[in-house]
Structures are given as C-alpha cells and as structure tokens.
Amino acid sequence: MPTLTLHDAIGAALTEEMRRDRNVIAFGEGIATKRHDLVEEFGALRVRNTPLAEGIIAGTAVGASACGLRPVADLLFAPFLCYAMDELVNSAGKLRYMSGGQFSFPLVALAMSGAGWGVGAQHNHNVEAWFVHSPGLKVVMPSNPADAKALLKAAIRDDNPVVFFLDIGLLYQPGEVPDGEHVIPLGQAATVRTGSDVSLISYGKTVLHCLQAAEALAGAGIAAEVIDLRSLKPLDEAAILATARKTGRVVVVHEANRLCGVGAEIAALIAEKVFPALKAPVLRLGGPDVPVPASFPLEQATVPQVDAIAAAARQLCAPQAV
C-alpha cells in the first residue's frame, strides 16, 4: 500500500471522484493554489479559487448542488464556518426536507480543525458539535489518511450535505492508504484496538492519544479497547453500545469543549441503553471552555493527552470505582 499524508489522501480522493463523476467540482479558499494537479487535470472550470467570503462560498455550493452538481467547498479553518452557518444550516441542511425530497444537496464542506499549528483562537476552534446538532447535515472527522480518503469518497457520493473536518495536527502525518476503490460508509465506527477492561471512544487526533494510552495501560495489566467514531453524524450507536457492554467501563475523549460536546451524547446514550452493563460511571475528557491559546504549549494543554487518558482509565478500573 502507498504511504500518503492526510492532506495527500484528500487530494487522491478528489482526483478519483472527479474522474469518476464529471459533476464533482472543487472550489474554495486557495484550493487551486494548493492542488495544482487538480487544475492541470480538470481545468479551471472545475477547480477554482474563491474570494475569502465563506458565506458566498457555501451559498454557491448549495446552489450548485441543488442544480445537480456535487461541489466540494474548502472553507479552510473551522471557525470560518461561522460565516457560512445560514447557508449550511438553514439552506443545505433543511431544504431537502422542506421541499419534500424534490431537491437534494450533495455537497461537502471541508474545514481544518484543532490544535497543532498555534494559529490562535479565531483559527482553532473545534465546532463539530454545532453541526451534529443541525438537522439534515452529516459530520465526519477522520483520524488517519486511509479513512480520510475513504470517507471523503463516501461523502462526495452522498446525496446529503456533509461537513468534513480535517484535524490540523494530523494533516501531514503519513499513513498507509489502500490502492483502488476503497470507500467507508458514513456512520461506521472502527475498533482500532480490542480489549476487555475499559473502552476508550474518540475521534480525530485524540484517537492516537487513546492508542498510546492503551499501550501504557497494557503494561499495567489493563486491556483497553479503542473505538474510532470516524463519523459523528450518523453516529454508530451499535458500536458504542457493543463496546460499553463488553467492558462495562467507558472513557470518551475529544479535543472539543467538554461542555455539551459529542462525549455528552455518547455518555447519555450509554446510560440510557446499557446502564445495567456498566461497572463504573462513564467519564468524559474534553477541552476546557476557553478560547484556544496561540502559544503551542498552552494550546497542547487544552487537548486531552496520553497521561490524562490513562489516568482516567485506571480510575475506572480501580476497585473503588466498582
């Protein structure tokens, strides 16, 4: 299998989908500058830069998708989605339902999210829970290049609007990517490590932190299972409930603000549906309710790190937690 960065895996998915379907187009903030190969192969009519005007970019994507195209709109940093909320939430997310299914909106909005570049609070804000809470939208956040490629291909083919978050800290991390046609259905989580004592459920870069924590826990005789959600909406409830039943102990980990985050939904789901199987309360590790600092060390302090994840798991596995 070839080795690609997450950034290159996204480019490979775009290339393959644009070859497969002439209705796939790509535009946004600097996309033609960043991806010269797409411009060379598909031309300026299908790949183009836009002004730095997120509402206009998203609105153009909504209109194009309603007319039968499949646009991929690059909106750069996740906080810039604030300027596109009306177009994505009130139009793309709702109009298929409001039209009684007469229109579909097969668009993908790309946005970079998370810590790693020290770009400050107005460029670094994990806002995925906003869009999970918005009816009609699907939300994806992969943790590795192979999943990024496979999920983007699925998102482009989906007849619903998909907000696709790229974790900045993972953008240039290499990983093996399968050759040929490889598509992962949206809403399908992955068990990336099996275990029987405690479940670590995560997405994005904190999946890697959970894997490192699981390795450390193994040295202490604790077998941790690690679940990568991959899609936040649709959410793979079956995988979440299965791992909770299996281990009886769950730590949910994400970089986004802990308050009203995706982890809260997962904890509530487990409590409602498999409470008798729990051996300890569900724990949530998330970011603090503060704007993210530009200082790299302070920025990293807002992200749940390996030691904190391992400590939470040990807490659940301690006799007093039973």
Side-chain angles (χ1 to χ4, degrees):
M1 290 191 290
T3 297
L4 300 175
T5 65
L6 194 147
H7 175 269
D8 290 338
I10 292 296
L14 284 170
T15 299
E16 292 176 14
E17 291 305 297
M18 293 182 78
R19 287 173 182 164
R20 189 187 66 85
D21 185 348
R22 291 185 59 83
N23 289 321
V24 178
I25 60 175
F27 55 83
E29 299 179 358
I31 191 167
T33 304
K34 293 182 293 185
R35 301 193 184 277
H36 294 288
D37 56 322
L38 294 182
V39 181
E40 291 173 3
E41 180 169 351
F42 303 108
L45 288 178
R46 292 181 68 189
V47 185
R48 60 177 65 189
N49 287 338
T50 65
L52 302 181
E54 291 78 16
I56 294 173
I57 298 167
T60 301
V62 174
S65 63
C67 293
L69 297 175
R70 291 184 176 271
V72 179
D74 190 341
L75 297 164
L76 280 185
F77 294 98
F80 299 173
L81 292 170
C82 292
Y83 296 107
M85 291 296 278
D86 183 56
E87 292 79 6
L88 292 175
V89 174
N90 277 332
S91 293
K94 297 177 182 177
L95 289 179
R96 188 177 190 186
Y97 170 83
M98 293 170 67
S99 71
Q102 295 179 77
F103 293 93
S104 61
F105 297 87
L107 67 90
V108 179
L110 295 173
M112 295 187 294
S113 185
W117 287 6
V119 291
Q122 291 181 323
H123 291 73
N124 174 9
H125 185 178
N126 286 74
V127 298
E128 55 270 15
W130 296 359
F131 297 95
V132 171
H133 198 65
S134 300
L137 299 178
K138 296 186 177 182
V139 183
V140 175
M141 193 165 178
S143 69
N144 60 76
D147 286 357
K149 181 182 177 183
L151 290 166
L152 181 56
K153 289 169 74 72
I156 291 172
R157 299 178 191 186
D158 200 291
D159 285 334
N160 299 285
V162 180
V163 183
F164 200 102
F165 290 102
L166 305 173
D167 196 310
I168 288 174
L170 301 176
L171 208 55
Y172 294 100
Q173 295 295 314
E176 291 187 339
V177 178
D179 284 318
E181 179 74 351
H182 178 56
V183 180
I184 296 172
L186 303 186
Q188 186 178 97
T191 301
V192 292
R193 183 182 177 116
T194 59
S196 56
D197 295 324
V198 61
S199 300
L200 308 178
I201 301 176
S202 189
Y203 61 90
K205 76 162 63 69
T206 47
V207 171
L208 306 186
H209 295 177
C210 287
L211 286 170
Q212 293 170 23
E215 191 66 31
L217 290 165
I222 297 173
E225 183 153 286
V226 180
I227 305 295
D228 183 352
L229 293 174
R230 303 195 291 200
S231 294
L232 306 182
K233 186 178 178 180
L235 193 63
D236 192 344
E237 293 190 6
I240 293 167
L241 298 178
T243 192
R245 288 191 191 98
K246 178 181 179 181
T247 68
R249 304 177 182 92
V250 178
V251 182
V252 189
V253 185
H254 55 63
E255 181 177 347
N257 190 341
R258 181 176 179 271
L259 182 64
C260 296
V262 172
E265 174 64 25
I266 294 170
L269 175 68
I270 292 170
E272 289 171 3
K273 297 195 174 183
V274 294
F275 182 78
L278 292 179
K279 302 172 184 176
V282 176
L283 292 184
R284 293 177 293 143
L285 296 181
D289 187 26
V290 298
V292 180
S295 159
F296 183 79
L298 292 178
E299 181 189 59
Q300 292 300 303
T302 68
V303 182
Q305 300 293 339
V306 174
D307 289 347
I309 298 168
R314 285 194 294 269
Q315 176 186 334
L316 290 188
C317 293
Q320 62 267 27
V322 177

